[in-house]
Amino acid sequence: MRRVYCPHTEAEVREMLRAIGAPSVEHLFREVPRELVRTGAIRVEGGLSEPELCRRLEALARENAAFGDFPQFVGAGSYPHFIPAAVAEVTARSEFSTAYTPYQPEVSQGTLQASFEFQSIVASLTGMDVANASMYDGASATAEAVLMAHRMAPQRPAVVISSALHPHYLQTVRTYASDLPGMELRTVPYTASGATDLEAAEACLEDACCLVLGYPNFFGVIEDLAAAAALAHEKGAYLVSTTQEALALGLLKSPGELGADVAVGEGQSLGLPMSYGGPGVGFFGCAQKFLRSMPGRVVGETRDERGNRGYVLTLATREQHIRRERATSNICTNHALCALAVAAYVSLLGPRGLREVAARNVRNAHYLAKRLSGIGRLRFFGPFFNEFVLERARAREIWEGMVQMGFMAGVPLGQWFPELDDCLLLCATEVHSREEMEKFARAFEEAAGGGA
């Protein structure tokens, strides 16, 4: 839908000034020191008619490459998936699209029910007892999980984080922790499999409140959460599982089933477009005993005095509701509309559909990896979901050549991992046809100048 916003006419301005009793617009700014006021003319282009404006904006838009313009084999935290049209129909309803924070929540039953359904879906996917009504994104959810673990074990100041965690997530945790005196972040390396080195982690856990792993991790490798949980618990620490590709939870065993204490992540894959990297929606689940330490808000189901089902804002331990020094988080809202999209998407697919889509992701990614293995080599041998790391000399140069040929060949990893300078992180999902993957492989071989 196209919307064009027009300024007030001079007659409208005069009417508003008359209503408030002001002689001029300048009079409204009379308290601003004169030396701070610009009096000269501001050079702006003349006004455009609506057809001219539309043509101008369309021309500017054509300068950007849209997702559908050429095949993209990029993941790294934001994934191309098919979204049924019904998802947009639900989220576009005015009752939802105009809603903000329900400060009088009981009169917002539809919004509360949507959040409740989102929580139920997250609890089911993560295998956790409870979930909140969403976070900003996967990175902030991860950082909030670290803060939560630190609150629950203040006598253990260290936080152990896998270096195979998404670099943006790791940086967000560092930013959150920078103002917390006494918190020490320790990163542990990954092995030749692409998974976290648990032996190295063991040496760092003696005074740690938590161990943070990706599931799958940034390289697409599926971590051994059960072993990590056993290790963390033996050392008296909590295990935080972070999932940047939520669709994987439709196929893998849930973090809760494998022993994780907190399961967080990014829900973009479940009904949200890539949209130049956002907005996304963070999810956050944990065991029942940690409920009152969980950040954000929690919607609960109840019965009124007549026995009718209703929804209430059960917990909202944020700085807006209680004393700042006792708040569990300074996140002041949730991504309600994005969470609604997740609820609609998962409801449409159902458990069986979600599993089938996830399985197709595995098949396509493994097909592409096998097809490219004669051109480069798989850097890691650990099991992967829909992303993998391909090593090939001149990786960045090949990537640039692929762009010129109309393909987005994953993400060069050297920008974050110098030791992986000749590596690309590639992704294939259910939207990639066998024909597209074949074209991609042939173009990659051409850009690489032949086989490995």
Side-chain angles (χ1 to χ4, degrees), residues 246-262:
L247 191 65
L249 297 179
L251 191 64
L252 303 178
K253 283 188 176 181
S254 69
E257 186 179 358
L258 296 174
D261 300 290
V262 185

Side-chain angles (χ1 to χ4, degrees), residues 65-74 397-410 432 436-437 439-444 446-447:
F67 171 72
D69 291 347
F70 51 84
Q72 298 193 40
F73 292 81
V74 183
E397 182 181 332
I398 294 171
W399 181 85
E400 291 173 349
M402 291 290 286
V403 171
Q404 297 302 317
M405 297 166 67
F407 293 91
M408 284 299 296
H432 296 106
E436 281 182 328
M437 290 188 285
K439 288 180 178 178
F440 179 85
R442 290 193 295 269
F444 196 96
E446 180 182 341

Side-chain angles (χ1 to χ4, degrees), residues 162-164 188-197 219 379-380 417 419-420:
S162 169
S163 60
V188 292
Y190 53 86
T191 66
S193 69
T196 304
D197 188 339
F219 304 133
R379 180 64 170 78
F380 303 118
F417 304 92
E419 71 278 14
L420 301 178

Side-chain angles (χ1 to χ4, degrees), residues 74-299:
V74 183
S78 185
Y79 301 89
H81 292 294
F82 176 76
I83 302 173
V87 174
E89 282 297 311
V90 174
T91 57
R93 289 181 63 92
S94 61
E95 304 97 311
F96 290 121
S97 63
T98 60
Y100 181 54
T101 301
Y103 288 109
Q104 295 177 313
E106 287 72 23
V107 302
S108 305
Q109 286 295 297
T111 298
L112 289 179
Q113 182 176 357
S115 295
F116 182 84
E117 300 297 344
F118 171 81
Q119 292 173 183
S120 301
I121 288 167
V122 170
S124 178
L125 288 175
T126 61
M128 291 295 167
D129 299 326
V130 292
N132 70 15
S134 76
M135 309 294 282
Y136 290 147
D137 52 28
S140 61
T142 303
E144 291 285 352
V146 168
L147 297 188
M148 174 177 162
H150 190 258
R151 285 194 302 272
M152 295 189 299
Q155 75 283 3
R156 302 174 67 90
V159 173
V160 180
I161 303 181
S162 169
S163 60
L165 191 71
H166 194 302
H168 294 167
Y169 291 24
L170 179 56
Q171 185 58 48
T172 302
V173 173
R174 286 197 175 109
T175 300
Y176 270 57
S178 61
D179 289 330
L180 291 178
M183 180 181 284
E184 179 187 355
L185 299 185
R186 300 170 184 165
T187 57
V188 292
Y190 53 86
T191 66
S193 69
T196 304
D197 188 339
L198 294 183
E199 290 186 4
E202 182 178 8
C204 302
L205 283 169
E206 293 297 335
D207 60 343
C209 62
C210 66
L211 170 62
V212 186
L213 300 181
Y215 183 66
N217 65 26
F218 184 62
F219 304 133
V221 174
I222 301 167
E223 297 273 9
D224 188 348
L225 280 194
L231 174 62
H233 296 158
E234 179 185 346
K235 297 295 184 178
Y238 300 112
L239 177 66
V240 176
S241 164
T242 296
T243 301
Q244 64 189 44
E245 168 53 297
L247 191 65
L249 297 179
L251 191 64
L252 303 178
K253 283 188 176 181
S254 69
E257 186 179 358
L258 296 174
D261 300 290
V262 185
V264 300
E266 171 59 60
Q268 175 270 327
S269 291
L270 306 176
L272 292 170
M274 298 175 75
S275 300
Y276 291 97
V281 57
F283 60 84
F284 195 116
C286 66
Q288 178 75 31
K289 60 184 177 181
F290 306 140
L291 174 61
R292 291 192 174 274
S293 291
M294 185 167 61
R297 59 161 59 97
V298 178
V299 176

Side-chain angles (χ1 to χ4, degrees), residues 7 42-50 52-53 56:
I42 300 176
R43 295 184 60 184
V44 295
E45 296 181 11
L48 299 177
S49 67
E50 183 174 344
E52 291 172 330
L53 177 61
R56 173 75 176 276

